[in-house]
Amino acid sequence: MTIEIENVSKSYDGKPVLRNFSLDISSENSYILTGPSGAGKTTLLRILLGLEQPDEGRVRLLGDYKYSRVNAGVVFQEDRLCEDFSAVDNVAMVSRRLSKRTAREELEKLLPPDCLDQPVRELSGGMRRRVCIARALSIPSDVLVMDEPFTGLDADTRLQAIRVIREAQGTTPLVLTAHSLEGLSFGKEIPVPMLDT
């Protein structure tokens, strides 16, 4: 399967954020979107996910594809966790087919077992981020989309998270944004330029 982002442009209040941006996302590949804050990386991911519409251009699903939208495992820029729920419950809720046992097994790849039943509001920022990563990896997906997934992680934890993501990825395409390329040499860097107004 290939997802084609074709000549996408987007402006907010007359200020251009993306202009004629194109990218083909194909199976077995990883794409690292880089660029300064405000360059439009998050906007591009939201357009890819169908959460926003481009002013111009389009996103097309190519190949034998039955649906109009992609099924994505997503790490958003903000955590989007249910604060009073445990880490296990936050992961298990993403699919009726996902048991709490499986959710716990996924989380244990990234977090100490003794914190998995605490309300996520009691966890550190880095731990919360790892819950988000486990949640994104816990459902079958056409594409993995991760917006700054390593925010709040120290160097060792970042590399651990990258290993877990790569193991879960298989042949699924991965698109993530990052300010640092440390540990991401497996992916193709895609610069997103900051536009002049």
Side-chain angles (χ1 to χ4, degrees):
M1 184 196 73
T2 298
I3 304 168
E4 184 181 71
I5 299 172
E6 184 178 24
N7 297 321
V8 161
S9 296
K10 183 72 176 177
S11 297
Y12 295 102
D13 298 322
K15 180 181 178 182
V17 178
L18 295 168
R19 185 182 295 130
N20 295 327
F21 190 93
S22 296
L23 176 65
D24 288 349
I25 298 164
S26 56
S27 297
E28 301 187 35
N29 289 306
S30 301
Y31 306 86
I32 318 300
L33 304 180
T34 61
S37 295
K41 300 184 299 296
T42 296
T43 298
L44 184 64
L45 295 185
R46 290 179 60 80
I47 290 171
L48 169 62
L49 293 168
L51 299 174
E52 291 198 36
Q53 294 302 311
D55 299 333
E56 297 176 11
R58 61 182 177 171
V59 176
R60 294 197 303 160
L61 308 180
L62 305 179
D64 183 17
Y65 208 78
K66 301 174 185 175
Y67 307 103
S68 60
R69 294 189 179 207
V70 294
N71 180 34
V74 183
V75 175
F76 291 96
Q77 196 169 62
E78 59 285 340
D79 291 336
R80 299 193 182 192
L81 297 171
C82 295
E83 297 292 328
D84 293 329
F85 288 19
S86 69
V88 170
D89 287 336
N90 266 280
V91 172
M93 70 170 49
V94 297
S95 172
R96 291 180 200 166
R97 298 178 183 176
L98 187 62
S99 69
K100 289 189 178 183
R101 178 180 175 182
T102 301
R104 186 178 299 277
E105 289 170 356
E106 291 303 312
L107 283 159
E108 285 178 350
K109 298 174 184 177
L110 290 162
L111 287 161
D114 60 358
C115 72
L116 301 185
D117 295 303
Q118 295 175 236
V120 293
R121 59 180 152 72
E122 297 177 4
L123 302 181
S124 69
M127 287 181 168
R128 291 165 59 90
R129 209 67 186 141
R130 283 176 275 168
V131 174
C132 297
I133 292 170
R135 180 179 61 185
L137 298 176
S138 293
I139 55 172
S141 302
D142 301 312
V143 61
L144 294 171
V145 177
M146 301 188 174
D147 198 355
E148 295 292 343
F150 311 119
T151 300
L153 305 189
D154 62 29
D156 289 343
T157 310
R158 175 189 173 97
L159 292 177
Q160 176 194 17
I162 290 170
R163 281 195 299 272
V164 170
I165 291 168
R166 291 289 286 157
E167 286 169 8
Q169 178 185 357
T171 60
T172 304
L174 168 67
V175 183
L176 64 83
T177 68
H179 286 292
S180 166
L181 294 175
E182 182 183 357
L184 301 176
S185 59
F186 60 86
K188 179 179 180 181
E189 182 182 1
I190 309 293
V192 180
M194 178 71 82
L195 300 182
D196 299 326
T197 52

